[in-house]
Amino acid sequence: MTSIRRRTWPTPSGEEKTAWQVDYRDAAGKRRSKQFARKKDAEAWLTTAAYQVQQGTHTPDSQSITIAKAAELWIKRGERENLEASTLAAYGQHVRLHIVPMCGDKKLSQINRPMAEGWRDQLMEKLSRPMAMRVLRSLSAIISEAQSRGYVAQNVVAGVKVRRAKREKTKVVIPTKAELKAVIETAKASAEPMAHPLALILIFAGLRASELRGLPWRCIDLKAATVTVDQRADLKNVIGPPKSEAGYRTIPLPSSAIAALKVWKLACPASEAGLVFPSLAKKAMSHQYMNINVMGAVQLAAGLAEPVLGDDAKPKLDKEQRPVIAQRYTLHDFRHAAASLWIEQRVNPKKVQRWMGHSSIQVTFDTYGHLFDQADQDAAVAAAIERELNETTASAPGTAGAGQ
């Protein structure tokens, strides 16, 4: 039984107040009520609520919680499940910087599809498309967690999407062969003895930075000339397994890398975890130190540097008014270099996927599809040139009798 009735009551100051109260029964048959300032709002709400009760998707406000509270529950669940520190940090930023300021005070039961679409639009206006997608996914995951706990009957954000824009897809940054050669030569002459083997494994094996930081000597087979990945160091330098099953893999190494590793093994400081590239404290090296102090220093010495630009697009200056210079490439850029070298050598896509540790062949094609296309085109050009030369030779006067 549902009804809308007018309520009137006096305030302490003697002023008369009026509101419209909706009385209804929820899916469990329990009597509920909700109050509105205008009759038309009460009627509109009752129409929606009655349909939700019939469909079993209605949650009374009194049984619901705010998005901010739901976000706390979601983060705590991630902590209990021991998610990666970097993953939890990213989720925390999504919640703290974007979700709570935008809609944290809203109760889950009050969210509707138009409201969710509006939040999507707000995120698109403030953030880059990839970041907006990530924050929206976090918001949807927050509501799904609350739904599983019974705080809301449906997740209206689940169907709200940020469409991918192919024209905005950024191509991977890949150092040129000349730059790779300069890095290897500079690393070999570096005063830092680990720089040379580190550069060679980066360029020829394509390991992730976390995998390099957690790489133990037991995973280097100097006889078979391979490196195996079965662990990594997370954001807090804690050693653990790869993030996915695809992370477990074995990759071939060239003789130059094996030779450099043999030399480095004799000089490498012993560490409790038997790491190939330990920190000064003989623990897992931080990402920043490996990226800037080791490979960054090599790049600066090799001349692979760029001025750092400020918000005004002008070069930043240090205290002595000199331009601030930074390395040109990140550790991940050298990972891309390894993939490009394999593809150029006609390594089949499935093997590239396996060596890169990608979870699916689609990830490989999404990232390096243009390189595979280019390799196919190059091979077709070479074959066409060879065919034309053969045809020209066969049809030249006197060719048939040559050598007779």
Side-chain angles (χ1 to χ4, degrees):
M1 188 72 172
T2 59
S3 66
I4 298 177
R5 59 190 177 89
R6 183 179 180 182
R7 287 188 63 237
T8 304
W9 70 96
T11 65
S13 62
E15 181 184 0
E16 186 177 83
K17 288 282 187 178
T18 300
W20 296 89
Q21 180 170 306
V22 176
D23 294 305
Y24 71 103
R25 293 188 181 276
D26 62 18
K30 186 174 182 179
R31 184 175 177 180
R32 303 282 182 181
S33 64
K34 189 173 177 64
Q35 195 165 276
F36 298 87
R38 300 187 305 174
K39 185 178 182 180
K40 62 184 299 186
D41 294 335
E43 292 172 340
W45 184 89
L46 179 56
T47 299
T48 302
Y51 175 78
Q52 291 176 343
V53 169
Q54 183 181 10
Q55 298 296 312
T57 61
H58 178 71
T59 302
D61 287 351
S62 60
Q63 291 184 357
S64 188
I65 57 176
T66 64
I67 291 177
K69 179 61 178 178
E72 289 181 20
L73 297 174
W74 179 61
I75 293 292
K76 287 179 179 178
R77 178 180 176 180
E79 293 172 347
R80 288 195 303 273
E81 295 181 350
N82 295 319
L83 294 183
E84 288 283 336
S86 57
T87 301
L88 287 173
Y91 289 167
Q93 287 185 341
H94 295 172
V95 171
R96 186 176 67 258
L97 301 180
H98 307 295
I99 295 174
V100 168
M102 178 176 67
C103 56
D105 60 339
K106 285 291 183 182
K107 280 202 168 187
L108 299 175
S109 59
Q110 298 171 343
I111 304 173
N112 55 41
R113 184 60 178 266
M115 193 181 295
E117 295 279 356
W119 293 338
R120 186 270 318 279
D121 294 344
Q122 287 184 47
L123 293 173
M124 289 288 291
E125 290 174 1
K126 295 193 307 178
L127 307 173
S128 65
R129 185 178 296 268
M131 178 56 76
M133 292 174 68
R134 289 193 287 271
V135 174
L136 193 62
R137 279 199 298 267
S138 292
L139 177 58
S140 181
I142 288 169
I143 298 175
S144 290
E145 172 67 15
Q147 184 181 14
S148 69
R149 293 171 178 268
Y151 290 115
V152 67
Q154 60 180 334
N155 183 359
V156 297
V157 179
V160 180
K161 304 294 182 184
V162 175
R163 297 188 182 279
R164 293 182 180 272
K166 292 184 178 180
R167 65 179 182 275
E168 293 183 7
K169 186 176 180 180
T170 304
K171 287 189 176 181
V172 295
V173 177
I174 303 175
T176 66
K177 286 184 178 179
E179 290 173 330
L180 295 176
K181 184 177 180 181
V183 166
I184 293 173
E185 291 178 348
T186 305
K188 188 174 183 179
S190 172
E192 172 55 73
M194 76 166 62
H196 189 217
L198 175 58
L200 291 171
I201 294 184
L202 263 174
I203 293 171
F204 292 115
L207 268 61
R208 298 178 175 91
S210 60
E211 295 165 347
L212 281 165
R213 292 165 44 232
L215 180 66
W217 279 109
R218 62 175 175 76
C219 286
I220 301 289
D221 191 328
L222 297 174
K223 291 184 178 180
T226 61
V227 55
T228 296
V229 178
D230 66 3
Q231 66 180 39
R232 60 190 290 275
D234 67 11
L235 188 66
K236 295 184 177 180
N237 303 329
V238 176
I239 303 295
K243 292 185 71 172
S244 68
E245 192 66 29
Y248 294 90
R249 61 200 191 277
T250 297
I251 309 155
L253 292 173
S255 58
S256 60
I258 294 301
L261 284 166
K262 286 180 178 179
V263 173
W264 169 236
K265 190 172 185 179
L266 297 175
C268 179
S271 61
E272 185 176 338
L275 300 176
V276 178
F277 304 112
S279 68
L280 296 175
K282 299 179 181 180
K283 297 181 180 180
M285 185 182 299
S286 71
H287 181 281
Q288 182 176 7
Y289 191 92
M290 181 176 284
N291 183 46
I292 297 177
N293 295 64
V294 183
M295 289 305 299
V298 168
Q299 291 186 64
L300 294 180
L304 304 182
E306 306 287 352
V308 178
L309 302 181
D311 295 335
D312 57 358
K314 294 181 180 180
K316 285 187 176 181
L317 303 177
D318 60 19
K319 294 180 179 179
E320 298 179 1
Q321 296 302 301
R322 294 176 302 186
V324 178
I325 303 298
Q327 65 201 70
R328 184 173 298 168
Y329 299 110
T330 66
L331 296 174
H332 206 73
D333 294 333
F334 290 106
R335 175 170 157 81
H336 294 320
S340 70
L341 293 173
W342 292 332
I343 294 169
E344 187 177 294
Q345 292 301 313
R346 315 294 296 168
V347 176
N348 70 70
K350 198 65 181 175
K351 186 170 288 187
V352 172
Q353 174 203 343
R354 186 166 68 251
W355 287 351
M356 292 297 287
H358 288 161
S359 58
S360 71
I361 192 65
Q362 191 59 50
V363 173
T364 307
F365 281 130
D366 286 346
T367 309
Y368 304 114
H370 63 292
L371 296 181
F372 284 110
D373 292 342
Q374 182 177 327
D376 290 339
Q377 292 168 4
D378 291 346
V381 170
I385 292 173
E386 181 183 43
R387 186 169 59 252
E388 290 180 6
L389 287 176
N390 288 338
E391 291 174 354
T392 302
T393 302
S395 61
T399 300
Q404 292 183 357

